[in-house]
Amino acid sequence: MSLFLRLIEENSYDWAIQLLQKKGNQVANAQNKYEATALMLATELKPVSKALELIDALMDAGASMDTSKYQYYGPVFLFACRRGVDPAIFDKLIMWDSIRENLFQDWWSKCDRNRNGVFVLACESQNISLVGHILSLAFT
């Protein structure tokens, strides 16, 4: 596994940002042996404020949200819901998607290979605040 991904997984935010600033796109799209990308791993960083900053830095460095080739994880949105991330992280991903790629335009209808969408995955994660947030977004 690359040093950059290890820094993210170990919650070493400051070191990860420094390495990202030096290497840019060379590390922004790194993935581990399970095909989880740096962007996916950043969604789990604690505290949430650091995760949001790293997501912004990754996107500024050219990280791609197109993870459709990853069979287990699916798009970064599905990964985030499966992991039960903070609703602010879900919002940040939607914001970046609308700015850069618009891959998840109809986010409510996207499913993983098991035909589970963001709502089902959020429910399975047992993050009640994320479940409520997704429902409120879907109805607005």
Side-chain angles (χ1 to χ4, degrees):
M1 178 186 322
S2 76
L3 171 63
F4 181 62
L5 295 176
R6 196 167 354 159
L7 291 171
I8 295 171
E9 287 182 342
E10 293 173 358
N11 243 22
S12 299
Y13 165 80
D14 293 327
W15 291 103
I17 288 289
Q18 286 181 17
L19 187 57
L20 183 60
Q21 289 171 341
K22 288 181 185 173
K23 301 280 185 174
N25 197 292
Q26 294 175 7
V27 296
N29 289 298
Q31 66 184 45
N32 66 18
K33 66 181 178 180
Y34 304 108
E35 299 180 335
T37 64
L39 185 59
M40 290 174 172
L41 298 176
T43 66
E44 298 182 290
L45 196 65
K46 302 293 182 217
V48 171
S49 61
K50 298 295 184 186
L52 296 172
E53 289 179 43
L54 184 55
I55 290 167
D56 284 339
L58 282 163
M59 295 304 291
D60 287 338
S64 175
M65 298 180 87
D66 185 7
T67 59
S68 60
K69 67 181 180 180
Y70 305 126
Q71 293 189 358
Y72 174 71
Y73 292 125
V76 68
F77 297 93
L78 298 176
F79 175 89
C81 289
R82 183 178 286 115
R83 301 291 201 191
V85 300
D86 187 278
I89 291 172
F90 188 80
D91 286 345
K92 180 65 78 171
L93 294 173
I94 288 176
M95 181 208 76
W96 273 108
D97 184 58
S98 67
I99 291 171
R100 283 254 315 267
E101 299 182 31
N102 219 15
L103 296 169
F104 212 61
Q105 183 175 2
D106 300 320
W107 61 270
W108 184 255
S109 63
K110 301 294 185 193
C111 296
D112 68 5
R113 68 178 182 182
N114 296 321
R115 299 185 190 251
N116 294 323
V118 292
F119 179 71
V120 170
L121 294 171
C123 288
E124 288 177 355
S125 78
Q126 300 180 2
N127 181 340
I128 302 305
S129 63
L130 180 60
V131 170
H133 185 66
I134 288 172
L135 276 176
S136 70
L137 288 174
F139 288 115
T140 55

